[in-house]
Amino acid sequence: SNAAADITTANNTLVFWSGLAFIGGTFYLSFYLCFIHTFIKEKPPSKTLLLIYILPSILSSLFAFSSLAVVQTFFPPNMPAQIIPGVLYKIYSFISLGILIYGAIWIALKYKKSTIKKQKQIIYIELGFLFLSLGAITFNFLLPFLGELRFFSLGPQFSLFFIVLSAYAILKHKLLDIKLVIQRGLI
């Protein structure tokens, strides 16, 4: 969605792709909370807790295509399309920062009580969180509040570090026992 928003040349399509990027970002945070919960508790969240994690994403998605999310669009020459984010993006920036810090602290506290195998898993996950957080803080929080909006779409790209390092922890250090997941799924 970010890439499509960058190359679009019409107001409506820019609002559409920006809205989809916003929705994706909010659900990314919800699923991040579910992942952290599952990793720490070693079981998925209850239905009630899952609803608590996902409900804010659903509610904010209802306004993703409104002026609360995108105040204005503009198309500077020889640059990606730009939006002036609305209040929803500002609220989302603070919430995402808080959720990232919350997850990192929760995992760091688990580190001390863990086995060596689990500690190796935690190191890779924390490194992924670090890169994700640095990208999000720089491009989605700090620069927009300083008035620089041109690099806003770079922040979500840092989630790739988290994905790659988590995949490495899963494959190399057996973060998730895939056989167990398949067996539970079949049952």
Side-chain angles (χ1 to χ4, degrees):
S1 332
N2 280 328
D6 286 346
I7 62 171
T8 191
T9 57
N11 285 331
N12 291 340
T13 54
L14 179 55
V15 169
F16 173 77
W17 288 115
S18 296
L20 282 182
F22 180 79
I23 291 170
T26 60
F27 276 97
Y28 184 87
L29 288 175
S30 293
F31 295 139
Y32 167 80
L33 285 172
C34 292
F35 173 78
I36 295 297
H37 179 95
T38 304
F39 180 73
I40 298 297
K41 301 284 187 178
E42 297 183 357
K43 64 180 182 177
S46 67
K47 289 180 182 178
T48 304
L49 201 51
L50 182 63
L51 182 64
I52 290 170
Y53 289 157
I54 293 178
L55 190 60
S57 296
I58 294 170
L59 294 176
S60 62
S61 294
L62 298 174
F63 302 101
F65 305 105
S66 73
S67 61
L68 293 172
V70 177
V71 174
Q72 185 179 354
T73 61
F74 55 102
F75 304 90
N78 301 321
M79 293 181 67
Q82 303 286 315
I83 65 165
I84 295 178
V87 68
L88 206 54
Y89 271 93
K90 293 174 183 167
I91 293 169
Y92 168 75
S93 294
F94 281 109
I95 291 172
S96 63
L97 182 62
I99 288 173
L100 290 173
I101 291 169
Y102 170 77
I105 290 171
W106 203 11
I107 286 181
L109 293 173
K110 174 77 173 174
Y111 182 84
K112 293 179 180 181
K113 302 174 189 171
S114 299
T115 64
I116 292 182
K117 179 182 175 183
K118 192 79 160 179
Q119 286 178 346
K120 287 181 180 180
Q121 296 168 346
I122 290 172
I123 288 171
Y124 286 107
I125 290 174
E126 285 290 316
L127 280 173
F129 290 150
L130 177 66
F131 287 123
L132 171 62
S133 299
L134 288 175
I137 289 168
T138 303
F139 296 107
N140 295 103
F141 187 75
L142 185 60
L143 289 178
F145 281 103
L146 295 174
E148 178 58 68
L149 302 172
R150 291 177 294 171
F151 305 109
F152 195 78
S153 63
L154 288 178
Q157 309 314 318
F158 281 81
S159 63
L160 293 174
F161 289 107
F162 171 66
I163 293 167
V164 168
L165 289 168
S166 295
Y168 181 77
I170 289 168
L171 297 173
K172 178 72 175 168
H173 298 287
K174 297 183 179 22
L175 173 61
L176 299 172
D177 186 353
I178 299 302
K179 285 194 296 189
L180 183 64
V181 170
I182 292 171
Q183 286 173 348
R184 285 184 182 170
L186 289 175
I187 290 173

